[in-house]
Amino acid sequence: MGVTEEVARFVTGLQYAQIPREVVGLAKRHMLDGLGVMLAGTVEEGTRLLQAHLVELGGPQEATVLGSRLRLPVPHAALLNGTSGHAMDYDDTQLSTSKESVYGLLTHPTVPVLAAALALGEKRRCSGQALLLACVAGVEVECRIADAIHPRHYQAGFHSTATMGGLGACAGAAVLLGLDSGRLRTALGIAASLSAGLRENFGTMTKPLHAGRAAQHGLVAADLAGRGFTASSEILEAPRGFFNAMAGGFDAAKLSGRLGRPFFLVEPGVSIKPYPSGSLSHPAQDVILDLVRTHDLRPEDVERIEVGTNSNVPNALIHNTPTTALQGKFSIPFCMAIAVLERRAGIAQFTDDKVRDPRTVALMQRVRLYVHPELERLGYEHVRAIVELTLRDGRTLRGQADVARGHPLKPMTEAELEEKFRECAALVLPEPRAGRVVEQLRHLETLPDLSPLLESLRPE
């Protein structure tokens, strides 16, 4: 059996009753997080520009645009909600199963799958249980494929959320459409040919568009296959297929026989972001915030800041002198400077004004990111960081982190996760509605259809 067929059989054979309770609980956590970042992203300029474009295109009012009273055709709603969910770079991040992989290729798995499943599920009047099944299946497929592909894929410049997200969205949509394994193999063939996204666009509006396009393309691929559209039935493993064309190969042992054994949400897990920025900055942000708060440091106390990492971090955090908030999300100098200046790293800190503030600019010039030989030798499965602060009184403070808060080894509590959701939702929803969403997610499997949840996700 080829891996494309194995993926298709897993998805079409999975039943809700087969999903362990632990996996259902984890899926709800990540779906709540996904809904929160979709709501927050609606205030971003890129999302607003895309919304204006899609409104002009018109079409039937089939699916909800989260955080608004607007409804769009299903593919357009998936595109807009998916883009919104990645607009702040605040969505969850896949982990790696080996030292060679680049942190699980930094795939953001939930948003593309959830955006596609929500839009399609609303039109088809699916139950909360069906939505859970679709999201669990889609995230599992997306993560296992990303884990198996050769690391060259990411290192050469592909954005894995864009390339693998569409395959996950396709699998989730196939569940809701009731495709059989043969039709799903075809759908994956279509989705794989639509896969695209380049990391050179990190720090621009196009990066979040990658997640939206993945949601849209995966959904469209499943729909076309269901209508009889044709494509290769072995797209993943074929000589001219996805793995070989995109990366020069894959590790079959990380995919074959691994789907749901255990579910990726359990082992190695998916990390929930504590900060709205590139996840490679997060361990260093944890360290500097701890140092600043513990030692009651002020900006005038700091002479310089040095951040040691491995060689894949500078390859992703590419903006040393950012001038916009989008660039600041991929800038160690900004992340370090704003932590010292404001002792926080939330939504309010990642703004254009904060990046351009003369105090921030001056402090960024005293930050250096470098490759630490010891961390380089340890491999790439964790985003390790060593932060050293040299103070003007002659003292040196140092801290190290192998993982950040939100990682399965350092998980957020339920209260912390809800606090993050409410922080995101507050940008567009009144508090009672945000609280209602939290409660509805706790009992999602009992909803006969998604309309109560979607109504809570709209402003009054």
Side-chain angles (χ1 to χ4, degrees):
M1 189 189 333
V3 292
T4 307
E5 182 178 357
E6 186 171 350
V7 167
R9 288 190 181 186
F10 165 77
V11 172
T12 56
L14 185 64
Q15 302 295 317
Y16 181 80
Q18 298 172 324
I19 304 174
R21 292 176 63 101
E22 179 185 11
V23 176
V24 171
L26 289 168
K28 289 179 183 179
R29 282 173 58 89
H30 288 274
M31 291 168 75
L32 179 66
D33 188 63
L35 293 174
V37 295
M38 287 181 192
L39 291 169
T42 62
V43 306
E44 293 293 291
E45 184 182 4
T47 306
R48 293 184 182 278
L49 293 174
L50 178 60
Q51 178 177 308
H53 165 71
L54 294 174
V55 168
E56 285 188 6
L57 293 180
Q61 298 181 11
E62 297 175 320
T64 298
V65 174
L66 272 59
S68 78
R69 305 300 298 185
L70 181 66
R71 294 168 64 83
L72 292 172
V74 167
H76 293 176
L79 168 59
L80 188 54
N81 288 332
T83 300
S84 178
H86 198 45
M88 287 190 173
D89 226 281
Y90 211 0
D91 46 331
D92 59 13
T93 310
Q94 177 188 352
L95 301 178
S96 173
T97 63
S98 69
K99 294 180 182 295
E100 294 74 31
S101 293
V102 187
Y103 326 112
L105 293 172
L106 296 177
T107 305
H108 300 279
T110 294
V111 162
V113 176
L114 180 58
L118 265 182
L120 183 59
E122 180 177 6
K123 181 181 179 181
R124 296 181 65 84
R125 300 185 180 277
C126 293
S127 67
Q129 189 175 106
L131 180 66
L132 270 165
L133 176 60
C135 287
V136 168
V139 167
E140 179 70 8
V141 166
E142 182 180 351
C143 289
R144 290 294 176 193
I145 290 174
D147 193 50
I149 199 168
H150 282 175
R152 193 194 85 183
H153 179 74
Y154 189 83
Q155 291 167 330
F158 283 108
H159 181 201
S160 51
T161 303
T163 55
M164 259 70 76
L167 300 174
C170 177
V175 170
L176 299 181
L177 290 169
L179 299 189
D180 60 26
S181 61
R183 290 289 175 93
L184 178 49
R185 289 166 68 185
T186 299
L188 292 169
I190 301 168
S193 274
L194 299 177
S195 296
L198 299 173
R199 291 199 297 116
E200 184 61 27
N201 278 310
F202 280 21
T204 75
M205 296 176 189
T206 299
K207 183 177 190 280
L209 183 65
H210 292 167
R213 279 298 188 195
Q216 180 190 41
H217 288 161
L219 189 156
V220 168
D223 184 75
L224 288 174
R227 295 173 187 270
F229 215 81
T230 64
S232 168
S233 61
E234 51 181 26
I235 197 66
L236 295 178
E237 69 273 26
R240 294 170 297 278
F242 183 80
F243 284 129
N244 286 312
M246 289 285 199
F250 72 110
D251 184 349
K254 291 187 176 182
L255 179 55
S256 184
R258 299 295 300 277
L259 290 159
R261 301 179 180 176
F263 281 87
F264 207 96
L265 284 170
V266 174
E267 178 62 41
V270 176
S271 183
I272 293 176
K273 283 192 172 186
Y275 313 113
S277 56
S279 57
L280 291 182
S281 67
H282 292 177
Q285 286 178 272
D286 271 1
V287 173
I288 192 142
L289 285 167
D290 183 55
L291 291 173
V292 167
R293 293 164 180 166
T294 300
H295 299 277
D296 194 24
L297 299 178
R298 306 296 171 183
E300 58 270 20
D301 297 329
V302 178
E303 178 64 33
R304 67 178 181 273
I305 303 169
E306 296 184 301
V307 181
T309 62
N310 63 51
S311 58
N312 279 301
V313 172
N315 193 29
L317 304 182
I318 58 178
H319 295 285
N320 291 320
T321 55
T323 57
T324 68
L326 284 171
Q327 292 176 352
K329 293 174 182 292
F330 300 92
S331 170
I332 278 289
F334 175 73
C335 291
M336 297 299 98
I338 202 66
V340 174
L341 286 163
E342 301 208 355
R343 301 185 175 205
R344 289 182 57 81
I347 292 173
Q349 281 65 51
F350 285 85
T351 67
D352 290 349
D353 288 344
K354 301 287 188 186
V355 173
R356 296 167 185 162
D357 187 308
R359 298 177 307 153
T360 310
V361 173
L363 191 49
M364 284 195 292
Q365 292 171 354
R366 303 203 294 272
V367 179
R368 180 174 77 97
L369 175 64
Y370 70 98
V371 175
H372 194 291
E374 178 184 340
L375 300 187
E376 181 74 4
R377 284 194 296 271
L378 290 174
Y380 307 126
E381 81 275 30
H382 293 308
V383 189
R384 300 178 176 91
I386 294 173
V387 179
E388 290 187 348
L389 276 69
T390 300
L391 306 183
R392 287 180 171 164
D393 64 7
R395 289 183 295 157
T396 298
L397 303 176
R398 184 182 187 275
Q400 178 173 344
D402 291 338
V403 299
R405 185 168 61 93
H407 188 286
L409 297 176
K410 195 179 177 182
M412 288 186 183
T413 64
E414 292 299 321
E416 289 173 330
L417 179 61
E418 288 185 20
E419 181 183 1
K420 177 185 172 180
F421 173 79
R422 292 174 191 274
E423 174 201 24
C424 292
L427 298 176
V428 289
L429 293 185
E431 169 56 31
R433 292 202 168 215
R436 198 182 309 157
V437 173
V438 172
E439 188 62 25
Q440 287 167 331
L441 258 291
R442 286 198 185 105
H443 306 286
L444 180 59
E445 67 273 27
T446 68
L447 294 182
D449 65 74
L450 303 179
S451 55
L453 173 64
L454 290 162
E455 179 57 32
S456 300
L457 291 163
R458 302 184 186 105
E460 294 176 349

